[in-house]
């Protein structure tokens, strides 16, 4: 698969109780359809060949013999196919019957994994028919009832399938109840190196059980840092006393990538990211190394997805409908368009409104508690903030107000300083004034035009030269004023710069780059917007809400260049450095997972496509050339501006990505970007 992805499928076919031939044909149809769609692994429910609800029919030899023969026939159907099948079946050996999961591929049964934890409580009576499985693997001599071929099959819980032609694909299996117990087999599987866990399940429906099941699978994938494919029995099982509703789940490292509909049968396909799992295990130092001692207790079955025999029945996968213009390599369009998973264009912002509200409140609390502790520790009763009427300073002021409330300090001790200059517009000025007054902070207005012009004369700079000197002189003048007012009032300066600006180095060194405590340092720009909107949505002060909504709609700008003739903002940050939602997406993929430029670009093509977002308005749609342009810009700025991040003031981390030199990012200021840019050039 592409860039570390592999396509997997979870299938719940409509079966008939004890009708093994019917069930086999239903399974084959799902295999064929999954392969058409490019899947390399498909998982079926527990006892899918016979049905889970056969009860005492499991004592009938005719049923057990038919199941074994059908499994051999099913294996023969996989000959020449590039797909691994995991199917639930009975398995009889040494006078005992087992509830098992069979690995089959390219004409053979590669392994039989028996279920260890057999429920025998409530509605379950599995010990009446089955024997618990053992971890130890032994080899069973097997004659195929489909072809007559004789070969050995490993039998036992400790079996791993390793793909020789796909790095990081290591498959293991457990069965239904195995994942519900305190010490799950999958835990040992993962410690032995498994990256993908298949679970053939038959979990009946009771009220509320779906939520518990979903959280169980999601959290198991997170704990194991693995992909987890949970396939559940559904329509067709006996309803004498129970109902089985399906609910297939494909999870990856704590996220649900795909979930089937309850009370429906179906085939559910998604791409899982093996490279991401490998990166996550690598960077999480508490995740143990693969235990060689443990692996010695496992049978490692090595195979290749590519069939070795000539009797190929392979069905050609459906080709993605790709059309592209321009210089970007067509393969990346195909990879992005064909990727079977949703790629969140705003990974820092929860898409669900309820979750977003909860998260915003949590982030505000983290920011405020960080500032509260700092003020408490130094005995400081005053805070100084440069208020511009923009998003970042607004958030900093809101956080400071909450911290003061926590400490029982009067809000008038928050000194909100507005410093109009050459680029200030009426809109931002009025919002800064209104915001300060509605929060009951103390407003100070200091116009810096005269002092900056005097500085221009001192250094011999022409005021008509709107270069970086023109801009940075204003930024540093503002910081000097804030620092001096803090000295006057025995206070500290609260920094306003956010995580996105720090990643891009979009700050004036020793200007807005500097403060005594940077409350926004862990908050990316895309999230800043929603935090401000959250306060607007929840505030009972209508005037404050109205002001915050207008700030939310104001273009991001440092306002260092003169406004347009009609008094509007002329200097829009995103016109200069690029859209922040793109940069935040790049930052997340690069910092959180260490992905290569090629993979980041491919994921961005998917994330910011119309097909990925559907009818939602979650993000803008960007063309490939625009994404490529700003990704180049991101890498250049991220590497060249590290020196600014090397001396950042303190500030709280609020999410999984941060750039503090004392925390998440230990990066040399002189690192060369050439390697990353070279890979981007290869795309052209």
């Amino acid at each position: 698969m592409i860039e570390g992805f592999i396509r997997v499928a979870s299938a719940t076919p409509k079966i008939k109780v004890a009708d093994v031939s019917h069930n086999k044909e239903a399974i084959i149809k799902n295999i064929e359809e999954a392969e058409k769609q490019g899947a390399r692994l498909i998982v079926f429910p527990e006892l899918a060949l016979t049905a889970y609800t056969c009860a005492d029919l499991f004592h009938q030899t005719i049923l057990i013999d038919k199941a074994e023969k059908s499994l051999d026939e099913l294996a023969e159907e996989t000959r020449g196919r590039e797909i691994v099948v995991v199917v639930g079946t009975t398995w009889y050996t040494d006078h005992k019957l087992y509830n098992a999961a069979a690995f089959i591929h390219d004409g053979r049964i590669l392994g039989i994994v028996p279920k260890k934890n057999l429920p025998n409580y409530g509605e379950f009576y599995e010990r009446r028919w089955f024997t618990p499985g053992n971890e130890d693997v032994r080899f069973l001599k097997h004659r195929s009832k489909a072809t007559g071929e004789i070969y050995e099959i490993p039998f036992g819980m400790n079996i791993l399938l390793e793909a020789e032609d796909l790095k990081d694909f290591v498959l293991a299996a457990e069965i239904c109840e195995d994942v519900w117990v305190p010490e799950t087999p999958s835990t040992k599987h993962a410690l032995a190196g498994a990256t993908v866990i298949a679970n053939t399940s038959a979990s009946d429906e009771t009220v509320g059980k779906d939520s518990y099941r979903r959280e169980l699978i999601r959290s198991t994938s997170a704990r194991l840092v693995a992909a987890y494919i949970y396939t559940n029995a559904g329509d067709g099982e006996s309803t004498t006393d129970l109902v089985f509703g399906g609910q297939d789940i494909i999870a990856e490292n704590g996220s649900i990538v795909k979930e089937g509909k309850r009370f429906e049968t179906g085939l559910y396909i998604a791409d899982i990211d093996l490279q991401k799992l490998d990166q996550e295990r690598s960077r999480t130092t508490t995740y143990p190394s693969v235990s060689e001692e443990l692996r010695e207790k496992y049978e490692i079955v090595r195979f290749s997805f590519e069939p070795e025999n000539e009797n190929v029945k392979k069905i050609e996968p459906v080709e993605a409908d790709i059309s592209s213009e321009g210089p970007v390599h067509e393969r990346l369009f195909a990879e992005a368009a064909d990727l079977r998973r949703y790629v969140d264009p705003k990974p820092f912002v929860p898409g669900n409104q309820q979750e977003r509200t909860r998260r915003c409140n949590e982030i505000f609390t983290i920011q405020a508690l960080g500032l509260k502790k700092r003020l408490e520790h130094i005995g400081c009763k005053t805070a100084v903030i440069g208020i511009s009427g923009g998003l970042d300073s607004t958030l900093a002021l809101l956080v400071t107000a909450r911290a003061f409330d926590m400490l029982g300090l009067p809000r008038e001790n928050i000194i909100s300083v507005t410093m109009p200059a050459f680029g200030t517009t009426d809109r931002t000025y009025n919002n800064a004034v209104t915001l300060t007054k509605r929060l009951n902070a103390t407003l100070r207005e200091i116009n810096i035009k005269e002092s900056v012009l005097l500085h221009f004369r001192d250094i011999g700079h022409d005021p008509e030269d709107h270069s970086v000197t023109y801009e940075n002189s204003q930024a540093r003048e503002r910081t000097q004023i804030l620092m001096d007012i803090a000295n006057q009032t025995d206070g500290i300066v609260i920094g306003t710069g956010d995580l996105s600006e720090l990643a891009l180095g979009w700050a004036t060194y020793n200007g807005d780059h500097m403060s005594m405590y940077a409350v926004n340092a862990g908050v990316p720009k895309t999230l800043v917007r929603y935090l401000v909107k959250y306060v607007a949505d929840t505030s009972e002060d209508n005037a404050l809400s109205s002001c915050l909504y207008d700030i939310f709609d104001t273009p991001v700008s440092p306002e260092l260049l003169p406004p347009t003739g009609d008094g509007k903002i002329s200097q829009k940050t995103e016109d200069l450095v690029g859209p922040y939602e793109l940069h935040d997406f790049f930052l997340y993929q690069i910092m959180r997972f260490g992905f290569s430029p090629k993979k980041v670009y491919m994921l961005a093509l998917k994330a910011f496509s119309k097909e990925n977002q559907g009818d939602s308005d979650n993000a803008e749609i960007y063309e490939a050339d625009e994404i490529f342009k700003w990704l180049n810009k991101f890498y250049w700025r991220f590497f060249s501006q590290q020196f600014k991040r090397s001396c950042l003031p303190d500030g709280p981390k609020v999410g999984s990505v941060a750039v503090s030199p004392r925390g998440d990012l230990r990066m040399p200021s002189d690192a060369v970007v050439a390697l990353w840019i070279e890979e981007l050039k290869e795309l052209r």
Side-chain angles (χ1 to χ4, degrees), residues 504 583 586-587 590 630-638:
L504 292 166
H583 287 312
F586 301 153
L587 175 65
I590 293 166
W630 295 121
L631 182 55
N632 268 277
K633 174 73 78 171
F634 180 89
Y635 276 111
W636 279 109
R637 292 198 65 95
F638 185 78

Side-chain angles (χ1 to χ4, degrees), residues 58-71:
F58 285 126
H59 290 315
Q60 298 291 312
T61 57
I62 188 172
L63 180 67
I64 306 309
D65 290 345
K66 182 64 174 178
E68 182 178 335
K69 181 180 179 183
S70 293
L71 185 64

Side-chain angles (χ1 to χ4, degrees), residues 374-385:
R374 179 54 52 88
L375 293 169
E376 215 170 24
H377 176 68
I378 61 179
C380 184
K381 302 292 191 295
T382 305
V384 180
I385 301 176

Side-chain angles (χ1 to χ4, degrees), residues 495-510:
T496 61
D498 63 51
L499 176 61
S500 306
E501 293 178 342
L502 295 174
L504 292 166
W506 189 251
T508 300
Y509 193 85
N510 207 34

